[in-house]
């Protein structure tokens, strides 16, 4: 077994353990909320009879540990339960929503990753020049502006003029073209936020590698500067870049709540906000678990990517 | 999206017009026994559900039964619980017997939960309404097209098709209207309403509502057992300032009782209690106190603006020698841990379409939702008598007296009623607008049209 394979297996196992711990935390957190689920669902309208009826139906009269294992067991069989709000299967509701969110994330990734990595390389290449300073100024500004403000600025400029819709209406029958057209504003808002992070990280890691001994050697050898960066620095700077891209993609899936709400984008973030408001606890739990899985999986992917990009681990026997 | 169900896809036995009168729905006419306990409804003939099934008495019984039974989780359990029996002597007559008289029963059948569904397809989106469901994704979007077979013919349901989109963010709603993406938005954002109404082509539709914000005192706990203390606190509230700041003026001043201007039997002659620190001091003295310090539990989890309302109360009460300690508590579990447990706390009620409904559920001695544990014998007697009184003028008088009793003796400080504030573009036109609930009593889709 190569060290790389061993590392990957270790990571996978760790990811699984993390996921189980997270599932416990989610379940416990909901359990510790003041008032029980029946009361939370009915709120002020609760009467003893209706609360008891809901408790009976949901099996809330049974002990928490038992309920946790039933819940976990069902999830392992692919059954996320049923929404309180509308009685539909959560797997069904979340399926379309997750597709929409992943579509948006993919659209942002397609726009943002090349821009960010490209600008990062350019900035590193012309370090401390006017170009570098300009790119930094833009990206620092983009990081500093909260995404809701960017979203509203986009709406005021591009939507009030009638160019793009201010809210998104998509379903299974929407064509790809319409989907892309409708999703442009939320995608742009998110691009602003994630590109800056990725660009800053690309620039920093390349500069970091540029100061190492083997790059100096390459210089001394007389290799031209662009070649030094592309052939010597970039491959060695890949690990941290992959890491930051993965984390930003994870953020795209998990953290788009605000942007989804503003643009009425029918994704998971909006589903979660609605479900929290309605106290639709099973949906909140399922969404939390999905978000946790995405985070863990993308971090895992980043770790594996970094491992594979490390020549020492890749080539050892 | 209750609006889609109640106003467009389904019909109810009765309707309430913009003036608050009960009119025919799927029931053509009805008759109550002299004690208002037995109600006989004549159903409209020749009506068909969207799936082609003829509408008959068995559908009425099945639709109402949907909310009854021991395991009912229905929010309108209170309406259907008094029903003893339902009978269908012929396919177009339904006789409903209640366990006691209720002069409002025909009015209550307008509640948006009591929609008529086919007995063999309950809860599947099939009704007799002016629109048929095309697609429905809960919490996202619903599309419906006009029902060519609508029993009201061309006189109602004027749109060819309608689309409802769920937008939680108030700013998103405003943007959607301003960018021309939608024609109508509900629950317009009050803080930015001025800007919205200044935009060309935007029309604001504002109606009084029954929802009201309150501070509740448990009248069986000191110091609130003394009505002079309750009176002192009521005089120490600056209602106008609460209306201006919490609702940006979009509401009505309340008078410490739950029957507001949107209700049928609201009594406008009940003298409005003013903000009067001197009177408050006077009542404190009567209660044998020089000054008073009370803890007020509040949270924005109770209603948005509850903390602001409490702080405004603290400011207006200080000149009267009353120190209101504002205790800000978490919103989670507010209704189970704070409400009905703490002696003095913020609360709200959505109000109810009928006087009897709200008074019987929250002000009658000993009922579970009587959060202030207020008990008043004269009030209880009046309430039960008014329930079976079929003479409208007499009823109005009785409800006026009940409003006076609650206002002068009750345990609630109810400074404001909220308005329904909605916005639409100039393309939409309408007649007089109903106030039973938001969006023209929920019938907007059925009653409005493109001009």
């Amino acid at each position: 077994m190569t060290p790389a394979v061993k590392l990957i297996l270790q990571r996978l196992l760790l990811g699984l353990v993390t996921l189980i711990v997270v599932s416990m935390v989610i379940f416990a957190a909901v359990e510790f909320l003041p008032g029980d689920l029946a009361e939370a669902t009915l709120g002020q309208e609760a009467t003893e009879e209706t609360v008891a009826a809901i408790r009976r139906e949901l099996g809330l009269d049974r002990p928490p540990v038992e309920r946790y294992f039933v819940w976990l067991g069902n999830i392992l069989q692919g059954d996320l339960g049923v929404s309180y709000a509308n009685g539909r299967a959560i797997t069904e509701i979340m399926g379309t929503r997750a597709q929409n969110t992943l579509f948006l994330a993919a659209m942002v990734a397609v726009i943002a990753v090349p821009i960010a990595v490209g600008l990062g390389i350019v900035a590193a290449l012309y370090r401390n020049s006017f170009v570098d300073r300009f790119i930094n100024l833009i990206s620092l500004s983009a990081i500093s502006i909260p995404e809701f403000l960017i979203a509203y600025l986009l709406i005021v400029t591009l939507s009030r003029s009638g160019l793009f819709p201010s809210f998104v209406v998509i379903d299974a029958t929407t064509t790809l073209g319409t989907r892309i057209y409708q999703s442009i504003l939320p995608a742009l808002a998110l691009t602003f936020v994630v590109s800056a992070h990725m660009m800053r990280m690309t620039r920093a890691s390349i500069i970091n590698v540029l100061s190492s001994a083997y790059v100096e050697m390459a210089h001394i050898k007389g290799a031209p500067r662009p070649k030094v960066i592309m052939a010597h620095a970039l491959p060695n700077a890949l690990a941290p870049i992959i890491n930051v891209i993965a984390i930003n993609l994870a953020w795209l899936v998990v953290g788009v709540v605000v942007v989804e709400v503003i643009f009425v984008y029918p994704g998971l973030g909006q589903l979660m906000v609605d479900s929290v408001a309605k106290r639709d606890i099973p949906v909140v739990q399922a969404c939390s678990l999905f978000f946790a899985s995405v985070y863990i999986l993308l971090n895992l992917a980043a770790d594996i990517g970094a491992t594979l990009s490390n020549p020492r681990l890749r080539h050892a026997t | 999206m209750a609006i889609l169900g109640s106003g467009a896809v389904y019909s109810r036995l009765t309707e309430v017009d913009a003036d608050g009168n009960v009119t025919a729905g799927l029931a053509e006419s009805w008759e109550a026994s002299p004690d208002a306990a037995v109600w006989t409804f004549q159903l409209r003939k020749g009506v068909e559900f969207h799936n082609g099934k003829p509408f008959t008495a068995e559908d009425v019984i099945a639709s109402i039964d949907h909310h009854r039974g021991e395991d009912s989780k229905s929010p309108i359990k209170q309406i259907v619980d008094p029903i003893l029996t339902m009978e269908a002597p012929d396919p177009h007559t339904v006789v409903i017997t209640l366990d006691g008289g209720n002069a409002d029963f025909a009015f209550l059948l307008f509640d948006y939960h009591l929609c008529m569904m086919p007995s063999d397809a309950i809860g599947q989106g099939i009704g007799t309404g002016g629109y048929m469901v095309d697609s429905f994704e809960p919490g996202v979007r619903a599309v419906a097209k006009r029902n060519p077979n609508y029993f009201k013919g061309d006189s109602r349901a004027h749109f060819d098709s309608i689309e409802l989109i769920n937008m939680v963010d108030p700013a998103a709603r405003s943007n959607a209207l301003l960018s021309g993406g939608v024609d109508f938005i509900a629950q317009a954002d009050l803080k930015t309403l001025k800007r919205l109404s200044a935009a060309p082509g935007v029309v604001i539709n504002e109606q009084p509502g029954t929802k009201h914000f309150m501070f509740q005192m448990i009248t069986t706990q000191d110091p609130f057992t003394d009505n002079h203390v309750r009176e002192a606190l009521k005089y120490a509230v600056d209602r106008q300032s609460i209306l201006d700041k919490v609702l940006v003026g979009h509401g009505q001043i309340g008078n410490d009782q739950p029957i507001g201007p949107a209700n049928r039997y609201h009594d406008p002659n009940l003298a409005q209690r003013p903000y009067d620190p001197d009177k408050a001091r006077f009542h404190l003295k009567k209660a044998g106190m020089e000054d008073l310090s009370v803890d007020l539990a509040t949270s924005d989890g109770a209603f948005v603006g509850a903390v602001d309302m409490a702080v405004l109360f603290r400011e207006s009460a200080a000149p009267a020698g009353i120190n209101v300690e504002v205790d800000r508590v978490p919103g989670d579990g507010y209704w189970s841990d704070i409400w009905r447990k703490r002696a003095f706390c913020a609360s709200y009620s959505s109000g109810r379409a009928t006087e009897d409904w709200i008074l019987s559920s929250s002000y009658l001695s000993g009922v579970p939702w009587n959060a202030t544990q207020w008990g008043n014998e004269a009030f209880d007697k009046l309430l039960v008598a008014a329930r079976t009184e079929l003479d409208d003028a007499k009823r109005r008088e009785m409800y006026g007296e009940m409003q006076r009793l609650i206002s002068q003796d009750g345990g609630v400080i109810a400074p404001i009623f909220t308005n329904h504030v909605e916005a639409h573009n100039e393309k939409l036109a309408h007649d007089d607008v109903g106030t039973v609930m938001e969006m023209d009593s929920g019938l907007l889709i059925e009653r409005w049209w493109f001009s």
Side-chain angles (χ1 to χ4, degrees):
Chain A
M1 196 189 281
T2 65
V5 173
K6 202 175 152 196
L7 244 167
I8 289 168
L9 282 179
Q10 270 176 359
R11 285 287 181 217
L12 280 174
L13 200 68
L14 195 68
L16 197 67
V17 173
T18 319
L19 204 55
I20 289 176
V21 172
V22 166
S23 79
M24 284 182 204
V25 171
I26 291 171
F27 193 86
V30 172
E31 200 61 33
F32 282 127
L33 279 178
D36 86 348
L37 305 189
E39 280 172 353
T41 313
L42 289 164
Q44 196 195 7
E45 309 276 298
T47 64
E48 274 165 37
E49 290 164 349
T50 44
V51 167
I54 288 191
R55 280 193 192 141
R56 258 199 313 281
E57 185 182 288
L58 301 175
L60 287 176
D61 36 4
R62 283 179 291 157
V65 178
E66 185 189 329
R67 276 185 285 126
Y68 170 72
F69 281 108
V70 170
W71 181 64
L72 194 68
N74 286 341
I75 287 174
L76 291 179
Q77 292 166 31
D79 176 13
L80 290 172
V82 173
S83 154
Y84 287 175
N86 49 49
R88 290 198 179 185
I90 294 174
T91 31
E92 187 190 313
I93 304 174
M94 273 181 63
T96 38
R97 298 297 194 104
Q99 273 174 29
N100 290 344
T101 292
L102 291 176
F103 176 81
L104 185 61
M107 207 167 139
V108 177
V110 168
I111 304 173
V113 173
I115 292 180
V117 174
L119 284 177
I121 293 173
V122 169
L125 201 58
Y126 302 102
R127 190 174 162 195
N128 292 336
S129 71
F130 170 75
V131 178
D132 181 28
R133 276 167 216 276
F134 182 73
I135 293 174
N136 268 304
L137 180 76
I138 299 288
S139 64
L140 280 175
S141 314
I143 292 176
S144 318
I145 304 175
E147 65 254 37
F148 70 84
L149 188 62
I150 295 177
Y152 286 134
L153 286 175
L154 286 172
I155 288 178
V156 169
T157 51
L158 295 179
S159 177
R160 295 271 171 86
S161 57
L163 276 179
F164 296 101
S166 76
F167 61 93
V168 180
V169 178
I170 47 176
D171 56 29
T173 61
T174 313
T175 59
L176 184 67
T178 321
R179 211 172 246 265
I180 291 174
Y181 168 70
Q182 293 232 12
S183 311
I184 277 189
L185 289 192
L188 276 182
L190 291 169
T191 301
F192 266 96
V193 186
V194 292
S195 306
H197 277 124
M198 291 195 255
M199 175 267 154
R200 301 272 306 162
M201 198 61 195
T202 308
R203 179 182 178 275
S205 3
I206 290 180
I207 286 174
N208 194 22
V209 174
L210 281 180
S211 63
S212 59
Y214 59 86
V215 171
E216 204 176 326
M217 187 62 211
H219 274 304
I220 293 170
K221 240 174 28 176
R225 199 171 156 79
K227 200 193 164 200
V228 172
I229 289 188
M230 298 313 283
H232 299 273
L234 189 59
N236 288 292
L238 262 185
I241 295 175
I242 291 175
N243 236 315
V244 81
I245 289 178
I247 287 176
N248 272 295
L249 289 184
W251 180 86
L252 268 181
V253 174
V254 176
V256 296
V257 176
V258 174
V259 169
E260 281 192 1
V261 169
I262 292 176
F263 289 103
V264 201
Y265 190 90
L268 276 181
Q270 210 201 37
L271 177 66
M272 182 134 162
V273 171
D274 286 359
S275 305
V276 169
K278 277 185 289 203
R279 297 298 176 139
D280 199 343
I281 307 289
V283 179
V284 176
Q285 284 174 332
C287 286
S288 313
L289 202 61
F290 179 82
F291 288 152
S293 317
V294 168
Y295 233 105
I296 291 168
L297 274 177
L298 279 170
N299 271 306
L300 209 66
D303 274 356
I304 293 171
T307 310
L308 292 180
S309 74
N310 184 332
R312 269 170 303 184
L313 283 169
R314 206 170 48 209
H315 294 301
T317 45
Chain B
M1 298 205 172
I3 180 84
L4 178 72
S6 68
V9 174
Y10 301 108
S11 320
R12 280 150 287 176
L13 288 183
T14 60
E15 282 187 16
V16 173
D17 66 14
D19 298 325
N21 304 312
V22 189
T23 59
L26 279 174
E28 264 176 343
S29 64
W30 50 91
E31 208 168 69
S33 60
D35 63 351
V38 181
W39 287 76
T40 307
F41 293 88
Q42 297 301 329
L43 305 183
R44 200 181 284 266
K45 295 189 178 95
V47 178
E48 272 183 12
F49 284 103
H50 298 154
N51 62 359
K53 181 186 187 303
F55 165 74
T56 63
E58 65 163 345
D59 303 308
V60 175
I61 293 174
S63 299
I64 295 178
D65 265 338
H66 182 54
H67 298 275
R68 297 172 76 208
E70 233 173 71
D71 273 344
S72 167
K73 289 164 285 162
S74 173
I76 52 154
K77 213 170 156 10
Q78 275 213 315
I79 296 181
V80 294
D81 262 355
I83 296 177
L84 288 181
T85 58
M86 289 189 284
E87 281 159 42
D90 66 71
H92 293 98
T93 308
V94 177
V95 181
I96 298 178
T97 309
L98 308 175
D99 61 3
N102 189 342
D104 284 332
F105 191 67
F107 191 102
L108 289 175
L109 291 177
F110 181 58
D111 186 277
Y112 72 93
H113 299 90
L114 282 170
C115 39
M116 293 298 130
M117 303 175 278
S119 57
D120 55 352
I122 297 278
Q124 293 178 15
I126 297 166
T128 56
Y131 295 89
M132 306 195 280
V133 178
D134 242 5
S135 71
F136 176 51
E137 202 184 326
V140 183
R141 192 163 77 118
V143 182
K145 59 174 187 298
R146 193 172 192 282
N147 172 11
N149 209 7
Y150 190 33
F151 67 87
K152 291 186 188 172
D154 289 336
S155 65
R156 286 288 177 82
H158 306 285
F159 306 111
D160 293 334
S161 69
I162 47 153
E163 180 173 1
L164 293 167
I165 302 164
N166 185 27
M167 298 190 189
V168 181
D169 182 36
R173 291 198 289 275
S174 299
N175 282 323
L177 183 67
L178 287 173
S179 62
V182 297
D183 296 308
F184 176 94
I185 59 169
Q187 295 172 11
D189 184 19
L190 299 181
K191 291 190 183 88
T192 57
L193 193 70
K194 250 194 179 151
R195 291 194 58 82
L196 185 64
S197 60
V202 171
V203 185
I204 304 293
N205 177 40
E206 185 160 0
Q207 307 295 333
T210 52
K211 181 175 174 181
H212 50 282
F213 296 161
M214 293 179 281
F215 298 126
Q216 293 185 324
M217 310 173 265
I218 297 185
T219 56
T220 51
Q221 287 185 27
D222 280 331
F224 308 112
T225 45
D226 188 338
N227 192 36
H228 283 297
V229 171
R230 306 204 288 266
E231 291 248 55
L233 287 167
K234 288 174 186 173
Y235 277 113
V237 183
D238 185 349
R239 291 148 213 274
Q240 189 64 48
S241 121
I242 289 176
L243 175 60
D244 291 345
K245 284 163 189 143
V246 176
L247 293 180
V248 207
H250 297 283
Q252 321 282 328
I253 294 224
N255 209 1
D256 305 325
Q257 53 85 16
I259 312 297
N263 283 101
R264 266 184 307 172
Y265 296 122
H266 168 71
D267 184 359
N269 300 321
L270 177 64
Q272 175 63 48
R273 195 190 303 273
Y275 169 51
D276 191 339
D278 293 332
K279 270 238 169 89
R281 265 185 199 285
F282 167 80
H283 281 288
L284 272 192
K285 279 222 178 71
K286 282 265 190 180
M289 298 176 184
E290 273 307 309
D291 44 35
L292 170 67
S293 196
V294 286
D295 271 352
L296 173 59
T298 183
S299 162
D300 273 350
F303 59 88
V304 177
V307 174
D308 295 341
M309 189 163 110
V311 170
L312 286 168
F313 182 34
R314 181 183 67 201
E315 296 308 310
S316 68
I322 298 171
N323 172 32
V324 178
E325 287 282 349
V326 176
D327 180 9
R328 196 173 177 170
V329 297
D332 273 318
Y334 189 86
W335 302 111
S336 49
D337 297 344
I338 305 294
W339 188 60
R340 294 195 292 189
K341 304 241 161 57
R342 293 281 292 267
F344 197 26
C345 73
S347 164
Y348 83 95
S349 164
S350 303
R352 289 288 182 263
T354 70
E355 292 70 16
D356 179 63
W357 190 356
I358 181 107
L359 297 178
S360 298
S361 61
S362 306
Y363 291 85
L364 190 63
S365 318
V367 295
W369 286 349
N370 184 341
T372 64
Q373 297 181 19
W374 181 64
N376 183 308
E377 228 173 282
F379 171 86
D380 291 352
K381 270 189 193 150
L382 264 174
L383 181 60
V384 175
R387 207 178 281 162
T388 54
E389 180 57 65
L390 292 168
D391 181 332
D392 201 58
K394 271 194 201 152
R395 284 190 92 197
R396 186 171 290 281
E397 209 173 288
M398 293 161 109
Y399 282 117
E401 176 67 10
M402 285 185 256
Q403 289 167 55
R404 196 182 62 77
L405 283 172
I406 298 178
S407 176
Q408 294 179 356
D409 184 55
V412 295
I413 302 174
I416 44 174
F417 286 86
T418 63
N419 283 356
H420 302 306
V421 182
E422 296 151 359
H424 58 91
N425 60 25
E426 281 170 335
K427 279 191 272 175
L428 282 174
H430 56 83
D431 274 334
D432 293 343
V433 177
T435 60
V436 177
M437 54 185 274
E438 56 180 356
M439 293 192 247
D440 193 2
S441 296
L443 292 176
L444 181 143
I445 296 171
E446 209 229 9
R447 284 179 184 164
W448 291 30
W449 63 88
F450 280 130
S451 54

